[in-house]
Amino acid sequence: MKRGLLITFEGGEGAGKSTVIAAARTALDRRAVAHLDTREPGGTPFAEGVRALVLDPAHENLCAEAELLAVFAARAQHVWAVIAPALAIGKWVISDRYTDASYAYQGGGRGQPIERIAELERWAAFGLKPDRTFLLDVAVEEGLRRTRARGGTADRMEREDGRFFERVREAYLARAEAEPERIVRLDAGRAPEVVAADVVAEMDRLVERWRAGEA
Ligand SMILES: Nc1ncnc2c1ncn2[C@@H]1O[C@H](COP(=O)(O)OP(=O)(O)OP(=O)(O)O)[C@@H](O)[C@H]1O
Ligand SMILES: [Mg+2]
């Protein structure tokens, strides 16, 4: 049984992750690749519970350490119970956010040291790295404008200020620069169908390489 691939989608608020993930799923369906679609924080009942806690605006005094450990507690359960078993039976896993988000939000945004996050990645995420990551990069103002237009009440993260999101964006871009083979950076300021076309083209390439035993 050939192991499936883990594909993650990253980016700030309103970058268009959910929008392009729909296109990525369709691309896999068209090529009859079995896949499991999930998100972080979340993806298991326990981890969804942690998500609700972490995003609840009532916890406005949550310290950075508690937030970092909470998202990794959720991730440990998610990887162990859902992601790793799916990959092992040959399914692809598409995740709306994963470990890079911790480097961006808890690292860049909250100032938690990178080495601390890397250590958590080794043990609490079982060292599981994505095979491909799409980073949807858009100007902070534009992303926030999109989420505001979508309406609804802002969660605990969405209530942060522009400087927080600038740090998140910078941390994401630094990750992409450090790992250009894994992380595909996309200009998400373009029209949704243009961004989605880039994602689909890369997904198609990946499926071909995977079927040929090269990925
Ligand atoms: N490339 C784009 N150009 C303009 N608007 C877009 C684009 N992509 C998505 N949108 C719109 O912006 C809003 C946010 O998009 P989407 O929900 O896909 O972003 P997201 O990254 O998943 O956001 P969140 O971080 O809140 O989950 C939606 O209303 C969507 O229709
Ligand atoms: Mg989304």
Side-chain angles (χ1 to χ4, degrees):
M1 172 70 70
K2 190 159 52 176
R3 181 188 167 279
L5 301 189
L6 172 59
I7 313 291
T8 63
F9 291 80
E10 299 281 358
E13 319 300 306
K17 297 177 295 299
S18 301
T19 304
V20 297
I21 283 172
R25 285 179 187 153
T26 309
L28 291 183
D29 288 339
R30 205 172 44 236
R31 288 169 163 265
V33 175
H35 56 99
L36 182 139
D37 307 316
T38 188
R39 69 171 182 180
E40 288 213 334
T44 81
F46 171 80
E48 288 291 332
V50 173
R51 178 192 183 91
L53 283 171
V54 166
L55 295 182
D56 185 347
H59 304 305
E60 57 182 20
N61 69 341
L62 193 68
C63 67
E65 288 76 7
E67 182 181 295
L68 177 63
L69 289 168
V71 295
F72 267 98
R75 179 164 299 129
Q77 186 63 19
H78 190 205
V79 171
W80 181 81
V82 173
I83 299 179
L87 295 174
I89 59 166
K91 277 193 184 177
W92 286 39
V93 174
I94 292 184
S95 189
D96 186 335
R97 293 211 161 110
Y98 185 61
T99 312
D100 291 300
S102 294
Y103 285 95
Y105 283 79
Q106 284 73 47
R110 306 279 188 220
Q112 287 293 292
I114 286 182
E115 318 80 69
R116 188 172 291 174
I117 301 170
E119 176 62 15
L120 284 166
E121 186 178 14
R122 278 191 292 276
W123 68 271
F126 306 93
L128 179 66
K129 291 219 171 210
D131 295 286
R132 193 62 92 249
T133 297
F134 293 97
L135 172 58
L136 303 181
D137 180 53
V138 72
V140 168
E141 267 313 304
E142 168 64 11
L144 292 177
R145 196 187 57 70
R146 291 179 191 170
T147 53
R148 282 191 211 109
R150 196 175 48 188
T153 52
D155 65 34
R156 201 175 59 86
M157 291 295 179
E158 290 165 350
R159 285 169 194 222
E160 291 298 333
D161 63 15
R163 282 166 310 182
F164 176 87
F165 292 118
E166 291 294 350
R167 293 196 301 274
V168 168
R169 185 183 185 200
E170 286 311 311
Y172 266 137
L173 290 173
R175 304 277 303 154
E177 219 156 273
E179 290 187 64
E181 298 285 303
R182 172 173 70 86
I183 303 178
V184 181
R185 174 186 165 185
L186 298 172
D187 173 2
R190 298 170 297 163
E193 55 281 3
V194 179
V195 183
D198 280 358
V199 170
V200 168
E202 177 64 11
M203 294 291 285
D204 284 345
R205 264 196 299 277
L206 274 172
V207 172
E208 255 163 53
R209 288 182 47 201
W210 182 70
R211 292 229 154 105
E214 294 161 10

